[in-house]
Amino acid sequence: MKKIVYFGMIMTASVLTSCNKYLDIQPVGTVIPTSESDFRGLMTSGYTSFPAHKSYLSLRTDELLLDESSTDAARTKDIYLWNDQNPDPATTAYPYLAFYKSIFYSNQIISTIDEKLTSNANVDQIKGEAYLMRAYAHFELLNCYSEVYSTSNVGLRGVPLSTKIDLEQRFVPATIGDSYTQVLSDMEKGTALLTVDDQAKGANYRFSKRGAYAMASRLHLYRGEWKEAIETAEKALTINSRLVDLNAIGSKLPNDFESEEMIMALEKVSIPEVRSSSFISPSLLSSYSDGDLRKGRYFQKRGGDYVSLKGGENRFNVSFRNAELYLTIAECNVRLGNTAEALKYLSALKKNRFTVDAYAKETKADATLSKEQLLDAVLLERKLELALEGLRWYDLKRTTRPTITHASFGRTVTLQQNDPRYVIRYPQEAINNNPDLLK
């Protein structure tokens, strides 16, 4: 079978929170929405279908140790050992088709909404979200299954692009260059349509202009486009630049969907299967210095080990938040040679993460750093601040691709410097269904 199988679904009100009836299926395999609430429901299904792949990505990094006593370890050990070629049959398959499930809902909206509804603020917002979801799903596929973008890599294999509903279409991977051209086009179209600057708490799993700018900033950062990454991060921060102050009594975790710095609370970054089969690695814990409040807020001791407090329930879903934008601006400014500007954003974040005394020591030490040392300091802050939010793997992949060693069940496996396994292999099931993936 050389195509992605699309799923036509009868969706009830329990799934589509804004619908109060079943949607008709006309013809079989295709959902035909007719009202604004139907389209909002279809978009909601696109969000709820988005995979929890970032939780599994954390297993591949230096953030976690596998708990061999866990009953879930059998499903995660080969992910932990980077055994993508011949994993144990019990291993949880990396998400692939789920991305295209979310893309399907986006395509359905994009292809039919103009025929069914007259343009207004709500309709334009839904259509804009659909374009951005399609862009984000393809972007995440590229981050997992393709090489990092560079001018020398644009001709390499990217990912299959799905921009229309065509059951006869062959899904041969586009090049990295063409894949990103599509992603950027969808981002531009979607952002132009959005009418909501910032989603209300509880609805902030949806895209807003703030979320679109944050996504653009991350994409440009990963592509090495430093000025563009700064510009789009600043646009997002113009709408809301607040940070959670961990010194404040009763402060929420920064990745709580109700925190003042949350931008978009969509993705499950710490699912039960991963949480129950892993502990926080000592190397990560030892990276937090004295006076860094995050160690006590982000992690909790359980027996002789530590576990993460940043996940385990939907309120800690996160795709984008302000701290990442501060660090993006800091990193890009260092790379451009603007160290004073980089220090300003790095200092602003640390002020909200360290005790008063520790913050004073940090800022004094940071002011003495060379450009190269300052870049290392910013990248360390990304590791500490964004721990267990699914971004560590991408940071390792786009920067130094360091050597990492994992040991489990009597096996010791090393991911070598610049190891080709930094590009994840397509799941075997996906390859079996679509041999074109290897072309």
Side-chain angles (χ1 to χ4, degrees):
M1 180 174 60
K2 295 185 178 181
K3 59 179 181 292
I4 295 169
V5 178
Y6 282 122
F7 296 91
M9 297 182 176
I10 300 176
M11 295 168 286
T12 66
S14 64
V15 176
L16 302 182
T17 55
S18 60
C19 291
N20 57 11
K21 61 184 180 63
Y22 288 92
L23 296 182
D24 294 330
I25 308 300
Q26 301 174 356
V28 174
T30 304
V31 178
I32 306 296
T34 58
S35 68
E36 189 176 299
S37 63
D38 288 345
F39 279 101
R40 170 49 67 191
L42 205 59
M43 192 65 239
T44 300
S45 283
Y47 287 124
T48 58
S49 298
F50 204 78
H53 62 297
K54 285 181 178 169
S55 191
Y56 298 110
L57 287 177
S58 294
L59 285 166
R60 302 177 74 91
T61 71
D62 51 3
E63 296 176 307
L64 296 173
L65 293 180
L66 196 68
D67 177 9
E68 297 179 9
S69 66
S70 168
T71 56
D72 286 323
R75 294 195 289 272
T76 57
K77 65 179 177 66
D78 276 337
I79 298 174
Y80 181 71
L81 297 174
W82 310 289
N83 181 18
D84 305 320
Q85 187 72 33
N86 296 297
D88 187 287
T91 302
T92 299
Y94 249 85
Y96 173 72
L97 193 60
F99 288 107
Y100 290 98
K101 188 175 176 183
S102 290
I103 291 170
F104 161 76
Y105 291 114
S106 296
N107 285 339
Q108 193 67 16
I109 292 168
I110 292 167
S111 64
T112 59
I113 195 168
D114 290 341
E115 300 172 6
K116 301 294 182 180
L117 299 175
T118 302
S119 174
N120 61 41
N122 291 335
V123 170
D124 289 350
Q125 174 68 26
I126 294 169
K127 187 177 179 182
E129 290 176 42
Y131 273 114
L132 287 162
M133 172 57 78
R134 189 167 78 181
Y136 192 50
H138 282 124
F139 178 48
E140 283 300 304
L141 283 162
L142 283 161
N143 288 333
C144 289
Y145 299 115
S146 296
E147 262 295 350
V148 172
Y149 176 89
S150 71
T151 54
S152 61
N153 284 347
V154 291
L156 299 181
R157 185 180 67 194
V159 296
L161 299 175
S162 176
T163 59
K164 59 184 178 180
I165 297 176
D166 179 2
L167 296 180
E168 300 305 316
Q169 180 181 348
R170 287 183 59 185
F171 284 87
V172 179
T175 64
I176 289 176
D178 288 344
S179 297
Y180 271 105
T181 295
Q182 181 62 52
V183 169
L184 287 165
S185 174
D186 281 347
M187 286 172 55
E188 181 179 3
K189 291 176 182 177
T191 304
L193 286 164
L194 294 180
T195 58
V196 175
D197 286 345
D198 197 9
Q199 295 285 359
K201 306 305 181 187
N204 55 351
Y205 63 90
R206 302 173 181 173
F207 276 103
S208 61
K209 286 186 179 179
R210 190 170 159 227
Y213 295 143
M215 175 186 165
S217 180
R218 184 184 293 170
L219 180 143
H220 289 305
L221 174 70
Y222 288 6
R223 283 166 55 101
E225 296 162 344
W226 316 129
K227 291 182 180 179
E228 293 85 348
I230 292 171
E231 289 170 359
T232 45
E234 288 176 340
K235 286 182 179 180
L237 293 176
T238 297
I239 299 172
N240 173 359
S241 62
R242 295 189 295 273
L243 292 168
V244 172
D245 185 357
L246 294 183
N247 287 283
I249 297 174
S251 59
K252 296 183 180 297
L253 285 177
N255 69 309
D256 188 303
F257 84 98
E258 290 186 311
S259 86
E260 54 193 337
E261 71 176 69
M262 179 60 71
I263 300 173
M264 189 170 173
L266 171 62
E267 293 168 89
K268 294 178 174 65
V269 295
S270 185
I271 61 174
E273 184 180 40
V274 174
R275 291 176 64 81
S276 67
S277 62
S278 62
F279 298 117
I280 306 303
S281 72
S283 66
L284 173 58
L285 292 169
S286 64
S287 298
Y288 293 90
S289 59
D290 292 341
D292 191 331
L293 297 166
R294 290 172 293 197
K295 184 174 180 179
R297 291 297 306 276
Y298 291 1
F299 312 108
Q300 182 181 64
K301 197 165 187 179
R302 180 190 293 169
D305 296 289
Y306 281 82
V307 295
S308 173
L309 294 175
K310 299 177 78 176
E313 54 181 298
N314 286 341
R315 76 175 303 111
F316 300 119
N317 291 359
V318 56
S319 292
F320 309 105
R321 59 185 180 90
N322 282 350
E324 181 190 354
L325 300 181
Y326 276 70
L327 290 167
T328 293
I329 293 174
E331 178 183 340
C332 293
N333 271 301
V334 175
R335 294 185 184 277
L336 291 170
N338 305 323
T339 55
E341 191 73 3
L343 282 168
K344 182 176 78 172
Y345 280 89
L346 182 62
S347 176
L349 176 62
K350 286 188 173 183
K351 185 177 182 180
N352 291 278
R353 299 298 189 258
F354 286 81
T355 63
V356 174
D357 289 342
Y359 168 68
K361 293 178 182 178
E362 287 285 320
T363 52
K364 183 177 180 180
D366 288 343
T368 67
L369 299 178
S370 66
K371 177 183 174 181
E372 292 73 20
Q373 290 171 328
L374 183 56
L375 179 59
D376 288 341
V378 172
L379 293 176
L380 174 60
E381 274 302 298
R382 286 186 66 90
K383 173 183 176 180
L384 303 178
E385 176 62 30
L386 304 174
L388 280 300
E389 293 182 28
L391 300 180
R392 178 64 175 164
W393 179 254
Y394 297 158
D395 281 346
L396 295 173
K397 179 181 176 181
R398 72 180 177 87
T399 56
T400 60
R401 298 193 177 192
T403 297
I404 305 174
T405 298
H406 284 172
S408 181
F409 293 98
R411 295 180 61 195
T412 298
V413 179
T414 298
L415 189 73
Q416 301 291 346
Q417 176 93 38
N418 295 318
D419 200 296
R421 287 173 293 180
Y422 271 106
V423 177
I424 300 173
R425 185 178 186 270
Y426 284 115
Q428 189 59 48
E429 181 181 18
I431 295 171
N432 291 342
N433 289 333
N434 181 14
D436 286 338
L437 286 176
L438 299 182
K439 292 188 176 180

